[in-house]
Amino acid sequence: MQTLANRAARLGLVMQRGLEGVAGATLFALMLLTTADVTGRYFFNHPILGTVELTQLMLAAVVFLSLPVVCWREAHISVDLLDAVFPKGLIWFRQLVVNGVCSAALWVMTGRVWALGERAFAWGDVTEFLRIPIGYLIYLMALMLGASTLLLGLRALGYLLEGLRIIERGGPLSPERDGSDKEDSA
């Protein structure tokens, strides 16, 4: 019988692969659209109408579909100016604070973006040429921000449990992350 941790890991992998798959398919469709538009424009003097709008919508979808995966993997852009001088024993605390603050900020953004989605539907906002309702995209953005909030909160909890020595793994310098198998024997 699988343990709860194994089931959670499996569910996380399925969600990760699903989001990556949808984002990848959207990016592929964006590439095909751009290729067809450029080909039509330069070789047949007949561009695809609404390409700019579709490109904007698909680009936003790719970015926000990728956000939860980036947050879970902690693969976002970071500046490591203080990593060399930061005490190894307190890295868990630093990561707890960073993930907690980012999670709180994303929670605020989730609420604001959700309100924008409600307003877009109430006002009937659509794109200029193709008349595509933009409320759906805004709700997708809010859902992905909410998922990212939850995942960063779980990361923060993991670092707290690591700092309290309830669990041994999860930090950026743990053996699973940096590839080393050495343990301090002191």
Side-chain angles (χ1 to χ4, degrees), residues 48-151:
I48 298 174
L49 295 177
T51 301
V52 172
E53 287 180 357
L54 289 173
T55 298
Q56 291 171 344
L57 295 174
M58 286 193 277
L59 190 57
V62 167
V63 168
F64 281 91
L65 285 166
S66 301
L67 185 62
V69 176
V70 169
C71 289
W72 181 247
R73 289 182 180 168
E74 292 184 317
H76 34 279
I77 297 171
S78 61
V79 180
D80 57 357
L81 295 174
L82 300 176
D83 283 359
V85 296
F86 205 86
K88 278 190 174 183
L90 293 178
I91 288 177
W92 70 270
F93 182 72
R94 179 194 68 197
Q95 293 302 109
L96 168 69
V97 170
V98 167
N99 282 288
V101 168
C102 289
S103 181
L106 285 179
W107 177 251
V108 171
M109 284 190 265
T110 300
R112 296 299 307 143
V113 172
W114 189 267
L116 288 174
E118 289 176 342
R119 186 174 77 184
F121 272 117
W123 290 1
D125 288 348
V126 293
T127 60
E128 187 176 352
F129 295 111
L130 299 177
R131 314 295 298 163
I132 299 171
I134 60 172
Y136 295 113
L137 177 65
I138 296 173
Y139 277 142
L140 173 70
M141 293 163 61
L143 289 172
M144 293 302 104
L145 283 167
S148 300
T149 300
L150 176 66
L151 293 172

